[in-house]
């Protein structure tokens, strides 16, 4: 629609979760956010600066599924971290590759949502 062109603000890349459509602009993708110098993430992730903290604060938004490369947010309904990030679709599809605790969790989840 009538979008205003904010010239003084550089266009930011937007992270969109492919599962829940949660979308937000992110500042960095990778494991070492430059604005959080001493911090190394466990996975490559989409990160935004925390607007409420002056220094080194950041919020991890999401990451890419290691199987299908879909961008997914960190919500429990969208992805799961087990040594790597996986979207729940791939977890369900490859459930036998995951340990019992993950299987259990997924069964719990599916019974809850039904
Ligand atoms: Zn999501
Ligand atoms: Zn996936």
């Amino acid at each position: 629609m009538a979008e205003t062109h904010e010239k003084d603000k550089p266009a930011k890349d937007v992270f969109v979760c492919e599962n829940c459509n949660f979308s937000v602009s992110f500042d960095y993708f990778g494991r070492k956010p430059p604005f959080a110098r001493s911090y190394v993430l466990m996975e490559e992730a989409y990160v935004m600066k925390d607007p409420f903290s002056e220094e080194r604060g950041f919020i991890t938004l999401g990451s890419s599924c290691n199987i299908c490369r879909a961008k997914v947010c960190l919500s429990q309904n969208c992805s799961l971290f087990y040594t790597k990030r996986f979207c729940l679709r791939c977890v369900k599809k490859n459930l036998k590759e995951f340990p019992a605790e993950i299987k259990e969790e997924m069964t719990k989840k599916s019974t809850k949502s039904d």
Side-chain angles (χ1 to χ4, degrees):
M1 298 295 187
E3 250 181 86
T4 48
H5 288 274
E6 295 174 79
K7 273 181 194 156
D8 36 36
K9 276 188 194 170
K12 275 192 179 180
D13 289 323
V14 176
F15 166 83
V16 182
C17 173
E18 290 181 30
N19 189 57
C20 68
N21 287 325
F22 161 74
S23 77
V24 66
S25 59
F26 66 96
D27 295 301
Y28 173 80
F29 173 74
R31 294 185 59 173
K32 290 181 178 183
F35 37 87
R37 245 174 268 164
S38 56
Y39 207 93
V40 179
L41 300 169
M42 285 168 70
E43 57 180 324
E44 289 199 320
Y46 295 87
V47 171
M48 73 179 276
K49 286 181 203 170
D50 183 353
F52 301 109
S53 94
E54 317 83 66
E55 222 185 307
R56 296 204 307 177
F58 67 93
I59 299 166
T60 313
L61 304 167
S63 188
S64 294
C65 170
N66 264 271
I67 297 173
C68 69
R69 309 313 301 172
K71 288 181 207 163
V72 278
C73 74
L74 301 191
S75 152
Q76 294 188 339
N77 298 319
C78 294
S79 71
L80 175 149
F81 188 82
Y82 172 70
T83 69
K84 285 168 183 168
R85 175 71 48 190
F86 300 100
C87 74
L88 287 202
R89 234 184 310 163
C90 289
V91 175
K92 281 176 196 161
K93 244 190 265 172
N94 301 278
L95 206 52
K96 24 180 202 323
E97 319 285 333
F98 289 88
E101 54 192 281
I102 304 277
K103 282 181 207 166
E104 231 168 81
E105 211 171 294
M106 295 302 293
T107 348
K108 257 188 266 166
K109 253 180 222 168
S110 53
T111 45
K112 225 187 262 174
S113 60
D114 282 343

